[in-house]
Amino acid sequence: WNVLLSFSGLVALIQLIFLPFFPESPPYLLLQKGDKAGCLKAMKQLWGEGNYHTEFDDLMKEKAITKGTKIMNVLEVLKEPSVYPQLCTMLLLLLSLQLCGLSAVTNLRESIIPYVSLGVSISELISVVFCSSIIDRFGRRVLLCGGYLLMALILGLLETSLLLSDQFLWMRYCSVILIFLFIIAYGIGP
């Protein structure tokens, strides 16, 4: 488990190091931020020198089309019948994460495992709702960087709590809480 947890932390660290060198997404800069110059600059950074007026015009058309479109909140999306297939797919993915084995990491009594699994599901639901509420406000880059930093911190604390769980029985419960926080950080960020 130590090696597996360290590997995911290493991948997150590598992505965290290189992420600041990439520009924001051109559609995000234009459609969400309204930054035309930043959009063109990001296109040049991502695609190299060239003429991107066609792509820029397409984004401007998309901005004009979506200008009158109402942005829905989470409850409005849940009430919309046209998104039920996507919601079912998302719920299936969330439920399949229950089989990932995170509950086994903490070495808890078998009677507590169902509650840990329920807690993992609730953590995933919280992260999905919270992320969908804040992604337009902060953008993907902030959520990715913050999520990876938070995940690295939580993995370090989780490793410490696992090492100390034989000496202090209450550290096992701290491990469970850290797993919940890790899932929330993963759902909000990456």
Side-chain angles (χ1 to χ4, degrees):
W1 284 113
N2 298 346
V3 174
L4 288 175
L5 288 174
S6 299
F7 181 72
S8 62
L10 178 67
V11 171
L13 180 65
I14 290 169
Q15 290 181 357
L16 186 61
I17 289 170
F18 288 108
L19 190 61
F21 298 107
F22 291 99
E24 286 284 357
S25 163
Y28 170 76
L29 288 171
L30 184 64
L31 301 176
Q32 300 292 327
K33 297 284 188 178
D35 185 6
K36 293 179 183 179
C39 176
L40 287 171
K41 182 180 175 188
M43 285 179 175
K44 287 181 182 176
Q45 279 183 299
L46 291 171
W47 301 327
E49 291 297 324
N51 188 357
Y52 303 111
H53 291 295
T54 305
E55 291 85 358
F56 186 76
D57 291 340
D58 289 342
L59 287 175
M60 289 301 289
K61 288 176 189 173
E62 184 178 342
K63 183 176 182 176
I65 290 170
T66 59
K67 188 172 186 174
T69 306
K70 180 186 173 209
I71 297 176
M72 298 171 25
N73 63 28
V74 176
L75 290 176
E76 292 170 339
V77 169
L78 291 175
K79 292 177 184 176
E80 181 64 38
S82 65
V83 298
Y84 287 161
Q86 293 89 347
L87 286 174
C88 289
T89 303
M90 182 181 69
L91 287 174
L92 183 64
L93 288 171
L94 289 174
L95 292 175
S96 68
L97 285 175
Q98 293 303 307
L99 302 173
C100 69
L102 280 173
S103 304
V105 174
T106 57
N107 197 19
L108 292 171
R109 289 190 322 249
E110 199 171 315
S111 62
I112 298 176
I113 298 298
Y115 300 109
V116 173
S117 294
L118 179 64
V120 168
S121 297
I122 292 170
S123 300
E124 291 166 355
L125 184 63
I126 288 170
S127 68
V128 168
V129 170
F130 190 65
C131 181
S132 63
S133 301
I134 65 170
I135 194 166
D136 287 336
R137 183 174 303 145
F138 295 109
R140 290 183 184 98
R141 173 179 282 196
V142 172
L143 293 181
L144 279 172
C145 287
Y148 280 130
L149 284 173
L150 198 56
M151 286 168 55
L153 174 68
I154 292 170
L155 283 175
L157 292 172
L158 182 60
E159 180 66 26
T160 304
S161 71
L162 289 174
L163 291 173
L164 296 175
S165 66
D166 290 335
Q167 296 170 348
F168 305 103
L169 291 178
W170 57 270
M171 287 301 272
R172 294 178 179 178
Y173 298 101
C174 290
S175 298
V176 171
I177 292 170
L178 289 168
I179 287 172
F180 294 161
L181 291 175
F182 179 82
I183 292 168
I184 291 171
Y186 177 80
I188 291 172

